[in-house]
Amino acid sequence: MPRPIHATIHTCALRNNLERVRQAAQDAKVWAVVKANAYGHGIERVYASLRAADGFALLDLAEAERLRALGWRGPILLLEGVFEPRDLELCSRLGLWHVVHCDEQIDMLAAHKTQQPHHVWLKLNSGMNRLGFTPQRYRSAWARLNALPQVDEIGHVTHFSDADGPRGIAHQVEAFHAATLDLPGERSLANSAATLRHASAAQVRADWVRAGIALYGSAPDHPEGRTAHWGLQPAMTLATRLIGVQQLAAGDSVGYGSCFVAPAPMAIGVAACGYADGYPRHAETGTPVLVEGVRTRLVGRVSMDMLAVDLEPVRAAGVHAGFGSEVTLWGQAAHGGAILPIDEVAHAAGTIAYELMCALAPRVPVAD
């Protein structure tokens, strides 16, 4: 028998989440963002559920090739554009759209010999200060691109830094509209947070929205927003089983460093999951866990292959917990329908759901 840990990808949840994004986006088209191997879910596993999107967005040419091999003939957008001149040849062959965010990428296009003009998206640095042309240089960059025979259509794109927080997006929307005023081409501004939180603003939805984390069942503005509030469902469950039970006396410690000491006699369960499986080592005592669908907590330090959970709340609920009992690290419990949002686990561990999804280790079996 293999170790009992496994991940499940819920294809129905993916379809639900895409539909929820569509409702918020209203008339805008939807990019399904599948970078980082679909946020750790697997491009091949999510494809059938997300193919109702209008396009896919990602970073890697190899992932774009995988989408084409699956049969996708619609738009694919490279969110960081190309990294060297020969990438443009593959863009031509695969029919990829790509972001242009710097002079060097314009230079590559100017030197590129192609029979098929490229569809590009010019990126504005509207305040994120990662990639893109500043508002002062944006129109001159557009003029350079527009003069190239290697370029066909030019879209306009930016990315919000604070769509999930109190600062909001107004300052970046203003910069975007000033920079792109009267320029032809489609526009894309909204990420998951902007699509859900600012859905009433038509100028934010524009022509395309870019849905990432929301597709996978995480609230983009947790802890203020919750998945249930946004109508999202968890697309990934990480589950395992108890492989041991220990009875502790008051004063007994648990795990490396003895960082948890039992305040009274208690039972703990040892679950087959650790940081080598992708569970965060820095998760502290109190991080939520489900045992047989009953909410309890992590105790002690996470080790490479195991972690310990408090069985007292489970037994207090009248539920038997022992060797072989189901442990849900995040997602949906197999019995009873209880859900542990990945956002809650990430928040307790001082990180974000994106990291937990993408950190799922190759040794964890995944099924849908």
Side-chain angles (χ1 to χ4, degrees), residues 114-131:
T114 181
Q115 299 292 326
Q116 288 284 2
H118 288 242
H119 187 141
V120 303
W121 288 75
L122 186 61
K123 186 161 192 174
L124 174 72
N125 175 10
S126 60
M128 173 71 95
N129 290 314
R130 293 192 312 187
L131 301 178

Side-chain angles (χ1 to χ4, degrees), residues 58-256:
L58 40 69
L59 303 184
D60 297 326
L61 287 166
E63 291 184 338
E65 288 182 298
R66 288 161 61 188
L67 274 173
R68 291 295 190 223
L70 288 167
W72 179 252
R73 295 294 174 259
I76 298 177
L77 176 65
L78 296 177
L79 290 166
E80 292 180 357
V82 299
F83 303 105
E84 58 183 11
R86 65 179 180 177
D87 293 346
L88 291 169
E89 299 171 11
L90 196 56
C91 288
S92 295
R93 181 163 66 82
L94 296 177
L96 306 181
W97 301 359
H98 51 100
V99 166
V100 173
H101 61 76
C102 62
D103 289 311
E104 290 80 0
Q105 290 175 328
I106 300 179
D107 294 339
M108 292 182 210
L109 276 164
H112 179 54
K113 294 179 173 58
T114 181
Q115 299 292 326
Q116 288 284 2
H118 288 242
H119 187 141
V120 303
W121 288 75
L122 186 61
K123 186 161 192 174
L124 174 72
N125 175 10
S126 60
M128 173 71 95
N129 290 314
R130 293 192 312 187
L131 301 178
F133 292 92
T134 62
Q136 295 76 19
R137 297 200 56 233
Y138 189 81
R139 297 181 83 87
S140 62
W142 181 88
R144 280 195 68 198
L145 278 175
N146 192 51
L148 295 179
Q150 294 91 337
V151 173
D152 185 7
E153 297 184 51
I154 305 173
H156 308 275
V157 62
T158 195
H159 192 57
F160 295 131
S161 58
D162 294 274
D164 57 347
R167 188 183 186 195
I169 62 175
H171 61 295
Q172 290 187 259
V173 171
E174 182 180 359
F176 182 85
H177 287 311
T180 62
L181 184 65
D182 298 329
L183 294 179
E186 293 187 311
R187 282 138 168 84
S188 177
L189 294 86
N191 55 5
S192 288
T195 302
L196 295 176
R197 287 171 58 95
H198 305 280
S200 61
Q203 72 271 24
V204 174
R205 294 194 307 272
D207 301 291
W208 289 83
V209 300
R210 304 184 304 280
I213 196 66
L215 294 178
Y216 305 100
S218 170
D221 55 348
H222 186 88
E224 179 184 344
R226 304 291 174 128
T227 52
H229 171 73
W230 295 123
L232 304 173
Q233 299 173 4
M236 177 192 288
T237 293
L238 180 63
T240 187
R241 295 191 177 275
L242 295 183
I243 59 172
V245 175
Q246 296 289 338
Q247 300 293 330
L248 302 185
D252 284 348
S253 63
V254 176
Y256 289 116

Side-chain angles (χ1 to χ4, degrees), residues 3-5 239-243 270-274 277 305-307 329:
R3 287 174 77 231
I5 189 169
T240 187
R241 295 191 177 275
L242 295 183
I243 59 172
V270 178
C273 178
D277 300 299
D305 309 303
M306 290 174 278
L307 54 80
L329 288 313

Side-chain angles (χ1 to χ4, degrees), residues 245-329:
V245 175
Q246 296 289 338
Q247 300 293 330
L248 302 185
D252 284 348
S253 63
V254 176
Y256 289 116
S258 300
C259 55
F260 175 80
V261 177
M266 63 182 294
I268 64 159
V270 178
C273 178
Y275 58 78
D277 300 299
Y279 195 86
R281 182 182 180 275
H282 48 277
E284 297 183 349
T285 293
T287 299
V289 181
L290 302 179
V291 176
E292 294 293 345
V294 178
R295 190 181 181 102
T296 183
R297 59 176 181 151
L298 174 77
V299 292
R301 184 174 294 167
V302 176
S303 57
M304 180 181 286
D305 309 303
M306 290 174 278
L307 54 80
V309 297
D310 183 356
L311 296 183
E312 294 304 307
V314 186
R315 294 180 173 181
V319 176
H320 170 74
F323 184 91
S325 290
E326 177 201 38
V327 179
T328 306
L329 288 313

